[in-house]
Amino acid sequence: MAHVLVTGANGYVGSHLVSLLLEKGHMVTAVDWMVFGRHPLAPHAENPLFRLVRSDVRSLKPEIVGEADVICDLAVLSNDPSGDLNPDLTHSINYR
């Protein structure tokens, strides 16, 4: 069993990855800004292998990252209209 940190865990791909990892018996730390609510991750709230960290990926604490065996970085502003609202923010999250 690995401890997997998934950033962007509340997004379309991230939420499916979290479900799959939990089904396989892995411990999952799900990191997301949670701008759109908890809906995709809500079914996992009581799973002892699941932990939700509400955080901007740019300010993750080292101890959270250091606990993971594997990191799946899926955190992005994922569409052009969102990215165009603030190009500097998009570059900061998606690239830096």
Side-chain angles (χ1 to χ4, degrees):
M1 169 176 65
H3 182 171
V4 183
L5 185 142
V6 179
T7 67
N10 200 44
Y12 180 76
V13 174
S15 62
H16 287 285
L17 178 60
V18 167
S19 295
L20 178 65
L21 290 167
L22 290 170
E23 285 173 20
K24 300 289 184 182
H26 297 288
M27 182 180 297
V28 176
T29 297
V31 177
D32 203 287
W33 220 352
M34 305 304 287
V35 174
F36 300 108
R38 296 186 55 207
H39 177 69
L41 299 176
H44 307 304
E46 301 301 318
N47 187 328
L49 296 176
F50 175 78
R51 178 173 62 157
L52 176 62
V53 176
R54 292 176 187 220
S55 177
D56 183 329
V57 297
R58 297 168 298 160
S59 59
L60 271 179
K61 296 185 186 304
E63 57 269 17
I64 292 172
V65 176
E67 294 174 349
D69 300 312
V70 177
I71 298 173
C72 296
D73 184 15
L74 303 175
V76 295
L77 294 176
S78 62
N79 59 53
D80 291 341
S82 295
D84 291 343
L85 290 173
N86 188 333
D88 290 335
L89 176 66
T90 303
H91 188 262
S92 176
I93 293 171
N94 293 13
Y95 180 71
R96 279 188 263 158

